[in-house]
Amino acid sequence: MPFIYEDYKKSADALFELSGGAEPEILLILGSGLGFMADEIESPVYVGYGDVPNMKRSTAPDHKGRFVFGRLCGKNVAVMQGRLHCYEGYSMEEAAYPVRVLRLLGTKKLLLTNAAGCVNTSWQKGDIMVINDHIRLFGFGPLNGPNISEFGPRFNDMVRAYDGEYIDLAKKAAGDLGISIRTGVYMYFPGPSFETPAEIRAARVLGADAVGMSTVPEATVAAHCGMRTLGLSLLTNMAAGISGEKLSGEEVNQTAEESSERFSALVRKVITGM
Ligand code: HPA
């Protein structure tokens, strides 16, 4: 059953109470292997997803499944330590649910991070990519069902789903830090299987630079309700069939760990400028 506006309102009211009246400026969603960044929040207040009415729980390995409210780089932030994915059995609307809840708490800026497979053969495992567009060709999106007009219009524009100024900000932040950064297109696959080599060849023909199992639900809903979004992908592995090696969740987590300092420095710098 699709949600109605009152469902979101109920969740937002509860989250406001549980967080002690948080009014975060930025929502930061942490992808696979990147949850450690929540440990950097000052004066943290934790709220488990299970304590928020209507919210689904995070079941993905290593995703803690809680909000952390507090300060990061001088900004009031809400961090999702672990996100919700469709492969956990959730609809796209359920996966993106927290974005609208935070919007009702006044949040207008969204920083999405993810681990992704690298499709672009000129790039390397460990590279960081700022997302300038995405591809989601198949299946229902998160706005399927009756439109909730309090959030946005029935047919919403996706041309500026990834904010141009934020893309420039990420490039400049990376330059200042001496970190190299790629810019490209993220293609959504529902998972939980990694893609087949043929799917990756198809993705490349279609114009994808990276593939992953998240981000698109949240970015779509954020565009609909007028939030500014920045997406950063850590390319934790070459996508299926490129290196000939077997893909695994362990490789994803290992690369994320190896890149943690670089990635978190970039996230901090970007948040300062958002
Ligand atoms: N495919 C999909 N999702 C991913 C990958 C991948 O290769 N790596 C990390 N997340």
Side-chain angles (χ1 to χ4, degrees), residues 150-217:
E150 286 89 344
F151 287 117
R154 171 74 292 186
F155 301 109
N156 68 295
D157 179 50
M158 289 295 288
V159 175
R160 287 162 204 83
Y162 298 91
D163 189 275
E165 279 177 30
Y166 282 176
I167 292 170
D168 291 344
L169 169 68
K171 289 182 188 168
K172 174 150 192 330
D176 290 350
L177 292 166
I179 294 172
S180 78
I181 193 163
R182 312 290 192 178
T183 306
V185 174
Y186 176 97
M187 184 164 182
Y188 177 79
F189 280 84
S193 308
F194 289 111
E195 301 71 30
T196 64
E199 284 166 342
I200 294 304
R201 287 195 298 276
R204 190 176 306 113
V205 170
L206 291 173
D209 296 294
V211 288
M213 306 174 195
S214 68
T215 299
V216 163

Side-chain angles (χ1 to χ4, degrees), residues 115-118 189 193-195 211-213 234 236-240 247 252:
C118 182
F189 280 84
S193 308
F194 289 111
E195 301 71 30
V211 288
M213 306 174 195
L234 177 61
T236 51
N237 55 282
M238 294 312 286
L247 269 58
V252 170

